[in-house]
Amino acid sequence: CSAEENQPPPSPVSPESVKPPVERQFRSISGLEAQSLIDQKEELLVLDVRTPQERSQVRISDSQLVPIGDVMRGRLAVPKEQPILVVCAVGGRSYVVGKALLAMGHQEVYNLEGGIEAWRRARLPVETGRESRQN
């Protein structure tokens, strides 16, 4: 009995079932790179994982507040193909969340290096005060 005889027969493969592997990426980027990404990628989700109190002081326009616990529990209802920029105060929480999103299968994840503080130091546009609408 040879080793080949003990192998299961190959399963039939249809061309539709063969997809090229998706190269997932995670990168920490500067505020200027993030602004460029926001300008270029209309479908980009800017995910703010800070507390509501932090967010009320300063935030990136059109970003969405999502509690860090919800993201870490897999409760982010976003297509895996949608690019995501994760933002926090100084880049630590967003880095952890970004790595977790990548592990959950999200394909294109960016961390705002230095967080909203670096964004402000780069004199990039922010909103302050109460939000006029809920995200």
Side-chain angles (χ1 to χ4, degrees):
C1 199
S2 71
E4 288 177 9
E5 292 174 14
N6 293 332
Q7 297 295 321
S11 59
V13 178
S14 67
E16 298 82 40
S17 68
V18 178
K19 292 182 181 176
V22 175
E23 185 171 329
R24 297 184 319 184
Q25 68 170 333
F26 173 80
R27 284 189 341 163
S28 288
I29 60 174
S30 71
L32 291 174
E33 289 174 296
Q35 181 64 64
S36 177
L37 204 61
I38 290 168
D39 293 342
Q40 293 172 10
K41 291 188 179 258
E42 189 175 299
E43 72 281 11
L44 180 73
L45 169 63
V46 181
L47 193 65
D48 191 333
V49 295
R50 298 174 302 150
T51 66
Q53 293 78 15
E54 289 173 299
R55 184 174 166 82
S56 69
Q57 294 170 4
V58 63
R59 66 192 162 275
I60 297 172
S61 179
D62 295 325
S63 60
Q64 291 186 18
L65 178 66
V66 176
I68 195 169
D70 285 356
V71 177
M72 300 305 275
R73 289 182 199 97
R75 294 183 185 155
L76 182 63
V78 174
K80 303 278 191 221
E81 309 80 43
Q82 184 173 6
I84 301 172
L85 170 64
V86 190
V87 178
C88 70
V90 295
R93 288 173 284 179
S94 57
Y95 182 88
V96 171
V97 168
K99 285 296 211 178
L101 288 170
L102 193 69
M104 291 174 198
H106 289 272
Q107 297 170 5
E108 188 178 352
V109 183
Y110 303 90
N111 171 48
L112 179 58
E113 194 167 41
I116 194 78
E117 292 307 315
W119 180 273
R120 284 177 16 158
R121 282 194 304 275
R123 301 192 187 284
L124 293 164
V126 295
E127 293 179 346
T128 58
R130 289 185 59 135
E131 294 184 68
S132 56
R133 59 174 170 55
Q134 290 293 328
N135 284 338

